[in-house]
Amino acid sequence: MHHTTLPHDRSSQLWVEHTPTDKLMASIRRWVTTLMHDEGITNPLARDEETVVAKIFTKEEGILAGITAADYLLKDWLPGAKWRWTIGDGGVVNAGKMILELEGGREQILNAERIILNLIGRLSGIATNTSHWVQRARPTKVASTRKVHWGLLDKWAVSLGGGLTHRLTRKDAKMIKENDLATMIHKDEKRPKGVKRIVNELELDDLGAFAVLEVKTIDEAIAAAESWVERMGIEGRQDRLTVMLDNMPPEKAKNVILDLETRKFRGLVIIEVSGGIEFDELQIWNELGVDVISSSRLHRGASPLDVTMLFEGA
């Protein structure tokens, strides 16, 4: 069973109708400033007298991301420069595509070259890698985790590649993970019983966009689902609980799913798998009928898209 709509996506807080939100732009400003400062550049790069024209080309096919961030860099850090983008974020490119034509001072552009290429290359690599995961896992949805390098920029790139962002911050959703359970389960309490109690004690109006409970065993998964479905019946609600099967092998996950389907719990339970997910296993998880696969490999395991800048006459 694949739920057609899932709450594991917060991309509308970042990108709406091909336009960055204030939240995303604030993140772009922070990261661009940090990258510039790390290069020893703390003030806008004054345009020098020698004018040059440079172009950025892709050297392989992929999905572009980071154009908006690079555009902000050009506007705020390269005064007097002129440029033209031929394609925007989310665009599909082949090798040899010119994506930017830039006119400015020679030293001005040389100082910013590597940062611009790093922005576009790294974020496009994430978007491209995510698209491969999306295609491989289809129709099961894939989502990123909060193990990010460049914060919201990573999440944005995942979204451009067709993946789900999952949480942007801890406050987006109530997520009870292994460390939370360790502090919430009583010393004399068996874990499945503790899981049932914790589910019954959740403040339903304080869950954020969705609720996730991470479990490691079949008994814990069944206990969570059973307690949730019983509670929804008592409360007269149809909210769904995400049960995350953490580092659970496919054979055990299959038993969980079969048990939940037999008990007719699946309508109120979203099954998420996470931890050690391999690209080559995606179809296995799809065939099992899980709803969402979350992995940091969408973004942390992505190779940058190969892009290059060439000066006219080079």
Side-chain angles (χ1 to χ4, degrees):
M1 175 181 181
H2 297 282
H3 287 285
T4 54
T5 58
L6 292 168
H8 297 62
D9 193 51
R10 313 293 288 160
S11 59
S12 63
Q13 293 190 19
L14 302 175
W15 193 246
V16 179
E17 296 181 353
H18 307 289
T19 302
T21 63
D22 290 344
K23 181 191 286 285
L24 178 59
M25 280 307 306
S27 184
I28 286 173
R29 284 192 292 271
R30 286 193 298 270
W31 280 103
V32 168
T33 300
T34 296
L35 293 172
M36 296 297 280
H37 283 197
D38 280 354
E39 281 286 324
I41 303 168
T42 56
N43 292 299
L45 296 162
R47 178 163 177 170
D48 41 307
E49 293 182 1
E50 184 180 353
T51 295
V52 296
V53 174
K55 297 177 181 179
I56 292 180
F57 295 89
T58 57
K59 298 178 73 173
E60 58 185 329
E61 65 179 28
I63 295 177
L64 288 185
I67 302 300
T68 300
D71 193 66
Y72 165 75
L73 186 156
L74 294 172
K75 287 177 181 175
D76 267 41
W77 292 85
L78 271 71
K82 299 177 182 178
W83 64 93
R84 176 178 65 91
W85 297 102
T86 66
I87 192 167
D89 287 301
V92 179
V93 293
N94 295 317
K97 170 71 175 177
M98 186 190 78
I99 62 175
L100 172 70
E101 184 174 34
L102 171 63
E103 178 187 298
R106 179 179 180 278
E107 290 301 317
Q108 183 187 44
I109 294 177
L110 284 173
N111 276 303
E113 174 189 9
R114 179 48 50 194
I115 302 169
I116 295 170
L117 293 178
N118 283 346
L119 276 170
I120 298 172
R122 184 176 180 279
L123 295 175
S124 297
I126 291 173
T128 301
N129 185 56
T130 299
S131 72
H132 294 158
W133 279 65
V134 168
Q135 293 165 19
R136 180 82 171 186
R138 188 174 285 140
T140 305
K141 304 295 186 181
V142 295
S144 58
T145 68
R146 286 184 60 238
K147 298 174 183 176
V148 294
H149 291 309
W150 282 6
L152 296 183
L153 298 193
D154 284 11
K155 294 283 190 176
W156 171 47
V158 164
S159 177
L160 291 171
L164 308 181
T165 65
H166 218 290
R167 298 182 301 166
L168 302 180
T169 69
R170 280 176 57 87
K171 294 181 180 180
D172 277 345
K174 181 70 172 180
M175 193 165 181
I176 301 174
K177 301 195 73 176
E178 177 65 19
N179 285 338
D180 299 305
L181 284 176
T183 62
M184 297 169 76
I185 292 178
H186 301 154
K187 289 183 179 180
D188 59 346
E189 199 172 32
K190 292 185 177 180
R191 286 184 66 92
K193 184 177 180 181
V195 166
K196 290 197 70 169
R197 175 183 57 77
I198 290 166
V199 170
N200 279 319
E201 292 175 355
L202 285 174
E203 293 289 342
L204 296 181
D205 295 327
D206 191 33
L207 299 181
F210 54 101
V212 182
L213 181 68
E214 179 184 289
V215 298
K216 291 188 175 295
T217 68
I218 296 174
D219 288 344
E220 290 172 12
I222 301 305
E226 183 177 56
S227 181
W228 182 261
V229 172
E230 288 176 356
R231 187 172 179 190
M232 289 301 98
I234 294 171
E235 302 269 356
R237 297 173 61 146
Q238 292 292 307
D239 306 47
R240 291 179 290 170
L241 173 70
T242 297
V243 175
M244 178 192 285
L245 310 182
D246 182 50
N247 285 295
M248 188 177 290
E251 316 84 69
K252 288 187 177 181
K254 181 178 181 179
N255 290 332
V256 171
I257 293 168
L258 288 174
D259 197 308
L260 297 186
E261 289 176 347
T262 300
R263 299 181 188 220
K264 302 187 185 306
F265 288 168
R266 287 289 274 119
L268 293 175
V269 176
I270 296 169
I271 296 295
E272 176 179 346
V273 294
S274 190
I277 304 295
E278 300 285 348
F279 180 81
D280 292 340
E281 297 175 343
L282 292 176
Q283 269 304 308
I284 295 174
W285 291 112
N286 175 48
E287 290 165 7
L288 288 181
V290 304
D291 298 303
V292 60
I293 299 165
S294 59
S295 174
S296 65
R297 296 189 181 185
L298 271 66
H299 42 295
R300 296 176 83 198
S303 298
L305 191 72
D306 197 354
V307 292
T308 187
M309 179 182 288
L310 296 176
F311 282 42
E312 279 193 356

